[in-house]
Amino acid sequence: MKYDIFLSDFDGTLVRADGKVSEQNKRAIAAYRAAGGVFVVVTGRTLTSARSRLNELGIREGLVVAFQGATIADVATGKLLKDGGFSSGDALKAIRVLESEGVHIHVYTVTDFYSNRDDEGLKIYERVCGIKAQVVDGEPISDFAERNRLRIVKILAMVDKKERNGLNERVCAALGKGYYVTRSAEYFVEILPEGENKGTAVDYLSEYYRVPRGRIAAIGDNYNDLPMLERAGGKFAVANAESPLKEIATVVPSNEDDGVAAALKYALSEEI
């Protein structure tokens, strides 16, 4: 086995556009784990959403990484091993920057999430992720967060895909140091505290399992996966990935064509 740990992004990588994981990917995960490999889902989704999908992969123990690496938990119990998040002031600053842009905003705690809009975009998001938002109406969501002293893990903006890159640049400029601003799905700009990303999750898992980073592989599709690929020894990108990932990784078939299964075959071999 070339890689003892295999880290996989979820949406756009392991999951097809229809929201399902293919049988071939499931079989490849089972084969890799049966050979002694550790398979870990590393996602921007909430912990609740991520854990709800692991059973179908046959994963009932081990660790799961959620919120872009800010949260790491035990699969079986949900116990938090890593519990990152914003200070109150930093979170409120980020939310208010998004409010000034007039965009659809999500605010996440470890267990709950809140939205400033109840629209079709929210309904689609809830359906895909299998979680329900509390809609904040009648006051700015920043005021709601401050009044309720929310301990915020992640903040997300939903925008038209044509607006995503521009919003990402403006938010980065407005917030400056102390924040990690990234793009995930075509419609999402996500904000976390600086240092909370999928790359630091690689370091955490390396230490936890006592496996050097050179024997950890990772696969992804979007900008939020770049820190993970940069830190991992084995770097894979699905064919539908953003160009910066494909420039540094071995490119495998798309998420629609079982790219994770192909990468896992490499991980089990000694040659690429």
Side-chain angles (χ1 to χ4, degrees):
M1 182 181 294
K2 186 173 181 64
Y3 300 110
D4 301 308
I5 299 176
F6 191 96
L7 311 180
S8 177
D9 172 50
F10 199 68
D11 298 288
T13 300
L14 181 57
V15 180
R16 301 181 308 213
D18 63 5
K20 297 179 180 179
V21 179
S22 72
E23 291 302 317
Q24 186 167 338
N25 277 344
K26 291 177 184 177
R27 288 194 295 270
I29 292 168
Y32 177 75
R33 296 179 71 228
V38 175
F39 185 91
V40 181
V41 168
V42 182
T43 179
R45 289 194 182 206
T46 70
L47 181 58
T48 300
S49 180
R51 287 184 68 217
S52 70
R53 298 296 302 272
L54 294 178
N55 190 59
E56 69 186 88
L57 304 179
I59 299 174
R60 298 175 181 84
E61 72 285 322
L63 301 184
V64 59
V65 179
F67 293 117
Q68 308 293 5
T71 300
I72 300 177
D74 180 85
V75 170
T77 65
K79 179 182 177 181
L80 296 177
L81 282 72
K82 182 177 185 290
D83 186 14
F86 286 101
S87 68
S88 177
D90 286 349
L92 294 173
K93 178 182 176 181
I95 296 169
R96 286 169 179 150
V97 165
L98 294 181
E99 287 175 334
S100 72
E101 292 278 350
V103 296
H104 184 152
I105 303 168
H106 291 176
V107 172
Y108 302 82
T109 67
V110 171
T111 56
D112 301 295
F113 95 96
Y114 306 84
S115 174
N116 67 336
R117 294 184 187 175
D118 187 6
D119 56 15
E120 185 60 27
L122 177 63
K123 291 179 175 62
I124 294 170
Y125 183 91
E126 290 175 328
R127 185 166 62 250
V128 169
C129 294
I131 54 177
K132 187 74 174 175
Q134 178 176 327
V135 177
V136 176
D137 194 15
E139 66 178 318
I141 196 168
S142 58
D143 291 352
F144 174 87
E146 184 173 27
R147 180 167 55 81
N148 288 278
R149 298 181 180 179
L150 298 184
R151 185 183 176 279
I152 297 169
V153 179
K154 187 180 84 165
I155 301 159
L156 178 148
M158 293 182 67
V159 295
D160 186 276
K161 60 184 177 182
K162 294 179 182 178
E163 301 172 7
R164 183 189 70 159
N165 292 346
L167 178 64
N168 186 86
E169 292 178 4
R170 294 194 300 275
V171 171
C172 282
L175 291 177
K177 293 182 178 180
Y179 295 87
Y180 169 56
V181 183
T182 189
R183 292 154 284 179
S184 52
E186 288 183 318
Y187 306 92
F188 299 159
V189 172
E190 305 197 22
I191 310 172
L192 293 103
E194 187 175 40
E196 300 289 11
N197 59 60
K198 293 186 179 186
T200 55
V202 175
D203 294 338
Y204 184 97
L205 294 169
S206 174
E207 182 176 348
Y208 181 88
Y209 285 108
R210 298 182 181 180
V211 172
R213 287 190 295 108
R215 294 193 64 86
I216 298 176
I219 186 170
D221 75 302
N222 224 308
Y223 292 98
N224 59 316
D225 299 314
L226 264 175
M228 177 171 70
L229 267 64
E230 289 169 345
R231 295 296 288 168
K235 310 173 195 299
F236 298 93
V238 284
N240 54 291
E242 297 283 355
S243 295
L245 280 76
K246 292 192 279 190
E247 290 171 2
I248 66 169
T250 297
V251 179
V252 295
S254 74
N255 63 319
E256 299 296 328
D257 297 310
D258 309 311
V260 169
L264 283 168
K265 289 180 181 178
Y266 287 130
L268 278 169
S269 71
E270 289 297 334
E271 296 181 0
I272 293 181

